[in-house]
Amino acid sequence: MTDVSTATTLQDLATGTYTIDPSHTEVGFVARHAMVTKVRGYFRDLEGTIEIAENFADSTANATMKTASVDTGSADRDGHLKSEDFFDVEQYPEITFVAKRVQDVSGSNFDLVGDLTIKGVTKEVALQATYDGTAQDPFGNVRAGFTAVTSVDREDWGLTWNAALETGGVLVSKKITLNLEISAIKA
């Protein structure tokens, strides 16, 4: 058995079920604002599991983010994001991701392809992911870390609100970058 304190490759990753630790996980997004800067936001309330299979390519994952937990550091902007213009949290309280397959495994890097559902619309996305390693924390938990990123067109999920700028362009970019920093605890 591999010493978990030195597990740094996918081959060393212990099989089993891992539960996402929301207090040590960050699911965020980045959008261009007014064509000149970037705004970052996060979903603070989330849960999910990662099932590591003997053959890593057969592994699965799922996650749920509560839309009402969106946090950009601005109460006014968060309120707008929660409204019908964007996430419509009253009607669509969750965003989900369900992995369908793992592909293009190379070293500690892989693509995690799955269905992302926002506002009742499901589209396939490919996350470019990295296994960051495994460690045993001071409380005896085996933790696995993953990083993932992808870019999506928010309008594909019905997030179409925008405002034209007098100088040209729009207030909010269509392209959104999704960034995930996952810490998961082995069950």
Side-chain angles (χ1 to χ4, degrees):
M1 179 173 169
T2 303
D3 177 2
V4 294
S5 63
T6 61
T8 57
T9 67
L10 289 170
Q11 293 75 24
D12 294 336
L13 182 56
T15 61
T17 302
Y18 291 76
T19 302
I20 294 174
D21 176 2
S23 65
H24 294 97
T25 293
E26 190 170 271
V27 173
F29 57 90
V30 181
R32 273 238 176 259
H33 181 261
M35 307 298 290
V36 296
T37 190
K38 294 178 182 174
V39 170
R40 288 168 172 73
Y42 307 92
F43 292 98
R44 301 297 186 191
D45 187 357
L46 58 109
E47 62 185 21
T49 58
I50 301 167
E51 194 72 42
I52 305 300
E54 188 82 26
N55 174 5
F56 186 75
D58 296 330
S59 299
T60 62
N62 68 74
T64 300
M65 287 70 57
K66 301 293 185 185
T67 53
S69 73
V70 67
D71 178 6
T72 65
S74 166
D76 287 342
R77 183 172 42 235
D78 294 347
H80 191 201
L81 288 171
K82 293 174 187 178
S83 77
E84 292 176 8
D85 284 344
F86 287 97
F87 294 119
D88 192 359
V89 302
E90 294 298 318
Q91 186 167 344
Y92 303 101
E94 297 178 340
I95 294 172
T96 61
F97 175 80
V98 178
K100 295 174 14 179
R101 64 186 174 279
V102 174
Q103 62 189 34
D104 300 329
V105 177
S106 175
S108 294
N109 300 312
F110 59 97
D111 287 347
L112 183 62
V113 180
D115 289 332
L116 179 63
T117 302
I118 303 172
K119 289 184 78 171
V121 177
T122 301
K123 299 280 182 182
E124 185 175 275
V125 298
L127 301 171
Q128 293 74 51
T130 302
Y131 166 58
D132 296 321
T134 305
Q136 186 164 354
D137 68 22
F139 310 103
N141 299 309
V142 175
R143 291 181 175 271
F146 299 90
T147 303
V149 64
T150 195
S151 292
V152 299
D153 181 337
R154 66 185 175 89
E155 292 185 353
D156 288 346
W157 284 271
L159 303 171
T160 59
W161 182 91
N162 225 329
L165 301 174
E166 288 183 23
T167 55
V170 291
L171 186 62
V172 183
S173 62
K174 289 173 36 171
K175 178 184 172 187
I176 305 295
T177 301
L178 305 177
N179 295 305
L180 295 83
E181 295 287 338
I182 307 292
S183 177
I185 300 172
K186 190 167 195 244

